[in-house]
Structure formats: structure tokens, C-alpha cells
């Protein structure tokens, strides 16, 4: 409910003076009235509906929030908050064409090894694309090696995170995959020739750069293999990507069991829940080059982390935020969700590492959504003990819960956000909210001068096209793993009820149908 300022009116007899004196006196009276209004009515930024400014979330001066938006803002029962009206018109489809299925030829003298790079989801893209490259080169793929030396320093092997036997068996009709190179007399009979390829290398690029070495050396290992395959490929190769990503890459039994247990515990607390990939860790903020009002301490701490990336140059932090390049603060995420209609009764699962600023940074979000959970709060230390020493396995647990949530919020368009957005599109277009940070920036900056209703209206307007609807992204646009349009088919004969159809939705639906046919 909007805060209404009390206005005081005073009547004064103004003596007859010169025009200049009259104007001067009127100005004094006006200033006095403004001062009185300011004194009696606190600015909207201090209203409990608006926690302290996002510029100072890391500052120790952040006041506690004692009361949150009331009224209809606490009702999150509307179905459109939890599912798309058009989602039932689409389904995932990644079956190969008859020509592709019949055209698989693997030469026994060609072995492809890949060494992935980065965290769990960055490595996942490498694994997916490695299978496709093996198919392009008609080579046998050796189970990929996972990065164990980068920032995350996780010693997990492929089989510690993914079901390796399922991976090999489910792709047997597409690509031959083996666990290790052939051995002779107890020793490896072949040694890999190491090579690098440019980012977004096309099939022709692989045939020109890698195939000659493969024919000569028989075993080739591609290092730092992430986003090393072109985004746009022929349809059957794109569908192979989907078969790997959505069907062949299955987490190990213990990881799946623990992840599903966390989902069950969230469902026991509430029928629907939101999963928030917060991405407000120190390394993320340092890499983004953004500034959040933490003073010299923040500048010093994040600056030290930023030095790890030698090619990363510090730019204008304010400009980065203005252009939507920075994650929202936890407080801003909470305000966005409340403005969209999610009430304080909603349960939030926060997928995150250690939040920069700790409990103080999370306090405004907890005030907006008191029912805040994480894997650490849902599971005992003993339950998490097998996974806690391994960052990728802990990330896998968050991945499972985010995928199983009724609504997913991606606070940064990174690898996990892209992979999950595409996966949620493939499996039923489940609600996926991406903050329109560029447009929301101006709304957050002006929130001290507008009512809650105006604020919420602006947020809802700016978030159109960022809510995970089937018609938001045109087929073929954007990163493939985020928008796997060749793998999503329209279900014929499924139509919306006439009374449910929004004219804009109907127009976009018709356009997508024509694009799918073409």
C-alpha cells in the first residue's frame, strides 16, 4: 500500500508590500512548507516497502526492516506466477533424423580427448560439445577430463559427478565413447598430441585444424575446451547437443538422491517455491567490475581478487551497473520479486556460495522473504559431508534444486543460468526469471520518489520478455544452450482457451508457429 504523506496547509495574512517583497516572502513560505512536509512525511526510500538503497547494501548503516509490503502483495496464488499459459503448446524433441542415425561412422584409429575448463556448468558445455566434435571427426571420444586446477580447485573426476556408464550407453548410437585409451602390456599404447582450437570453431574449422593431426597422430587432446564449438550448427548436430545435455548427462546416484531430497523438503514447506541463483559471491562481484557501496574495504578486497584475471581491466563501475552488467543486490532481487506479485509467504531456495558481506547483505532479502533456505539449512552437516569438499558436487546439488523449482531466478547470465534456462525451456517451459538489469537500474535509483504501486508497475513493465515465456526469444537467437530452439517442437492440436488468450500472446504464438514451419 502506498505511503501517503500528510500535508499541512497554513493560512497567513501577507501585508501589502512591494512586488519584490511579496515574491520573496512567498518563496520563504513555500520553502517552509516543503521543510514541514519533509519533516512530517519520511521519503518513500525510508518506507518499509522500500528497504535501504542498493548502493549501500554492504554498508554497516543498513537499517533493519520491521514491516514489509502488506495487502494483496502477500498473495502468490495466481497461477501465472508459477507457469506459462503457452507452455503446454511446446515440448522437447531431440530425436535424430533417419539420415543422421544411419550416417554414424567411427574410425578405430581416431581418438579424441578433451580437457574441460572452468566450473561445473562451463565444463558441462565442454562435454556436450566434445561429443559433437567427435561425431564431426568420426572419432572415438575418451571420457572427458574435468578441470582440477582452476579457481575452484575441485579434484572430482567425470565419474564422481556424472553417471559414466549411462553417458556411454545412451550415446552409443551417435558416438563411440570409451573410458580410457586402449592399453597394451599394462601401458597406454598411444600418446595424445595436444592442440588448441579457437573459440566458436565451426565444423569446417575442426576438419581443417584437427583432422590432419588426428590422421597423423591418431590421438589428439584439445585443451581448455569450453565454448570451442560454433553456436550455430546444422539441425541434427544441434539435436545431438540436446541429447547429450538433457538425456545423457545424468548426475551420479548419490548426487541425484541428495538433490531430490532437498526438493522434497522444500515441497514439504510450500506447494510452490522459488530457486534463486544469487551469484553474489566475492569472485563474481570482482569479475564483474561492479561497485556496491562498501567503501574502501570493498574496493580493496574485490580489487585483490580481480588481479587473478590478468586480462581483466577495471572500468567505470557506475557505468557497468547502468548498462545492466552487474548482478542485482539481494535486496533488489527481493524487491523485484515482490513487485512481480510474489508475496512474503513464498519460500525461497538460495543457490549460492558464500555471499559477499555475509548475513548483513542478506538481511534485506530475508525481511522481504522470511522463508529463506539453502542446502545447508535443509540438510544436516552429516548429509552434506560426502559432497562439501567438492565445489562442483555442491554446485550439482544447487543445479538439481533450481531445475526442480516452480520458478527459477537467474541473477547473472552466466553458465549455470544459461544451461538451466535452456533445460527449463526443453522440459516444459517452466518459469525462468531473468532480471532486466539495465532497465531496472533506473527504477531502483528513483524508488525514493515514487509510490510502491508506481514502482511495481514499472518493474512488471520492464520484466516483459524476461519471464521465461515460450515466445520471448526468436528461434536461433542467443546462446544455443540457453535457447535450444531446434530441440523444442510445437504440439499440434493443442490450442489455448479463447477466453485465456491475450492478444499479444496470440500474435506471438502465431509468429512462432510460422517460424517453426520454416
Amino acid at each position: 500500500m502506498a505511503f501517503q504523506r500528510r500535508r499541512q496547509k497554513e493560512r497567513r495574512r501577507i501585508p501589502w508590500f512591494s512586488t519584490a517583497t511579496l515574491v520573496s516572502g512567498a518563496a520563504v513560505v513555500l520553502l517552509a512548507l516543503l521543510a514541514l512536509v519533509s519533516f512530517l512525511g519520511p521519503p518513500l526510500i525510508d518506507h518499509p516497502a522500500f528497504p535501504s538503497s542498493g548502493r549501500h547494501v554492504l554498508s554497516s548503516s543498513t537499517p533493519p526492516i520491521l514491516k514489509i509490503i502488506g495487502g494483496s502483495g502477500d498473495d502468490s496464488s495466481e497461477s501465472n506466477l508459477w507457469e506459462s499459459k503457452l507452455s503446454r503448446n511446446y515440448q522437447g524433441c531431440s530425436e535424430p533424423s533417419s539420415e543422421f542415425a544411419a550416417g554414424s561412422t567411427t574410425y578405430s584409429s581416431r581418438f579424441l580427448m578433451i580437457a574441460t575448463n572452468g566450473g561445473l556448468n562451463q565444463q558441462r558445455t565442454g562435454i556436450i560439445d566434445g561429443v559433437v566434435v567427435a561425431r564431426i571427426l568420426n572419432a572415438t571420444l575418451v571420457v572427458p577430463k574435468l578441470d582440477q586446477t582452476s579457481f575452484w580447485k575441485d579434484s572430482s573426476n567425470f565419474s564422481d559427478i556424472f553417471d559414466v556408464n549411462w553417458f556411454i550407453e545412451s550415446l552409443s548410437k551417435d558416438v563411440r565413447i570409451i573410458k580410457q585409451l586402449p592399453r597394451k602390456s599394462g601401458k597406454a599404447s598411444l600418446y595424445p598430441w595436444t592442440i588448441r582450437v579457437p573459440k566458436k570453431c565451426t565444423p569446417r574449422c575442426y576438419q581443417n585444424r584437427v583432422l590432419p593431426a588426428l590422421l597423423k597422430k591418431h590421438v589428439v587432446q584439445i585443451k581448455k575446451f569450453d565454448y570451442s564449438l560454433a553456436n550455430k550448427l546444422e539441425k541434427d548436430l544441434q539435436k545431438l547437443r540436446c541429447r547429450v545435455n538433457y538425456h545423457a548427462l545424468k548426475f551420479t546416484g548419490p548426487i541425484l538422491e541428495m538433490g531430490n531430497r532437498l526438493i522434497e523438503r522444500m515441497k514439504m514447506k510450500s506447494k510452490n517455491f522459488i530457486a534463486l541463483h544469487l551469484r553474489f559471491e566475492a569472485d563474481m562481484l570482482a569479475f564483474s567490475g561492479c561497485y556496491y557501496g562498501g567503501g574502501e574495504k570493498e574496493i580493496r578486497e574485490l580489487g585483490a581478487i580481480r588481479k587473478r584475471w590478468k586480462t581483466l581491466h577495471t572500468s567505470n563501475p557506475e557505468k557497468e551497473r547502468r548498462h545492466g552488467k552487474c548482478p542485482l543486490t539481494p535486496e533488489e532481487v527481493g524487491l523485484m520479486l515482490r513487485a512481480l506479485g510474489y508475496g512474503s509467504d513464498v519460500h525461497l531456495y538460495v543457490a549460492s556460495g558464500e555471499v559477499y558481506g555475509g548475513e548483513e547483505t542478506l538481511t534485506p532479502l530475508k525481511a522481504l522473504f522470511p522463508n529463506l533456505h539453502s542446502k545447508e539449512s535443509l540438510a544436516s552437516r552429516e548429509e552434506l559431508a560426502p559432497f562439501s569438499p567438492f565445489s562442483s558436487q555442491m554446485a550439482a546439488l544447487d543445479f538439481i534444486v533450481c531445475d526442480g523449482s516452480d520458478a527459477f531466478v537467474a541473477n547473472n547470465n552466466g553458465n549455470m543460468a544459461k544451461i538451466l534456462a535452456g533445460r527449463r525451456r526443453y522440459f516444459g517451459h517452466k518459469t525462468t526469471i531473468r532480471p532486466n538489469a539495465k532497465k531496472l537500474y533506473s527504477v531502483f535509483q528513483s524508488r525514493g520518489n515514487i509510490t510502491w504501486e508506481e514502482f511495481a508497475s514499472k518493474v512488471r513493465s520492464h520484466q516483459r520478455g524476461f519471464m521465461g515465456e515460450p515466445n520471448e526469444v526468436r528461434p536461433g537467437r542467443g546462446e544455443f544452450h540457453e535457447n535450444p530452439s531446434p530441440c523444442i517442437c510445437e504440439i499440434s492440436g493443442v490450442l489455448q482457451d479463447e477466453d485465456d488468450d491475450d492478444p499479444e500472446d496470440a500474435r506471438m504464438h502465431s509468429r512462432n508457429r510460422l517460424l517453426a514451419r520454416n
Side-chain angles (χ1 to χ4, degrees), residues 184-250:
K184 186 177 182 180
S185 300
K187 297 182 179 180
S189 58
L190 300 167
Y191 297 92
W193 178 265
T194 302
I195 195 171
R196 292 282 294 272
V197 296
K199 296 290 185 183
K200 305 297 183 183
C201 196
T202 63
R204 183 179 294 275
C205 166
Y206 279 99
Q207 290 165 354
N208 292 337
R209 288 174 174 265
V210 181
L211 186 56
L214 197 57
L215 294 174
K216 183 177 181 180
K217 301 294 183 178
H218 304 293
V219 184
V220 169
Q221 176 174 272
I222 307 177
K223 302 193 73 174
K224 290 189 177 296
F225 193 85
D226 64 308
Y227 292 100
S228 300
L229 182 61
N231 190 48
K232 293 184 179 180
L233 302 171
E234 63 175 83
K235 192 170 185 177
D236 266 319
L237 291 179
Q238 298 287 55
K239 289 199 169 194
L240 176 56
R241 271 177 161 164
C242 294
R243 290 198 294 280
V244 181
N245 193 2
Y246 306 131
H247 300 285
L249 274 179
K250 185 169 71 172

Side-chain angles (χ1 to χ4, degrees), residues 296-311:
E296 289 297 324
K297 181 175 182 289
E298 178 187 340
I299 294 172
R300 183 177 64 256
E301 291 176 345
L302 298 187
I305 299 174
R306 197 173 291 121
K307 291 178 181 178
R308 296 173 183 172
W309 295 281
K310 296 180 180 179
T311 59

Side-chain angles (χ1 to χ4, degrees), residues 256-313:
L256 274 177
E257 182 181 353
M258 187 70 244
N260 288 328
R261 196 179 305 165
L262 294 173
I263 293 175
E264 289 173 7
R265 290 173 186 177
M266 286 299 296
K267 288 291 188 182
M268 288 172 63
K269 296 178 182 297
S270 179
K271 177 183 177 182
N272 300 307
F273 74 93
I274 297 174
L276 166 61
H277 189 216
L278 191 55
R279 283 310 267 135
F280 211 73
E281 300 93 343
D283 66 296
M284 179 65 225
L285 301 187
F287 186 81
S288 69
C290 302
Y291 174 68
Y292 289 91
E296 289 297 324
K297 181 175 182 289
E298 178 187 340
I299 294 172
R300 183 177 64 256
E301 291 176 345
L302 298 187
I305 299 174
R306 197 173 291 121
K307 291 178 181 178
R308 296 173 183 172
W309 295 281
K310 296 180 180 179
T311 59
L312 188 64
H313 302 289

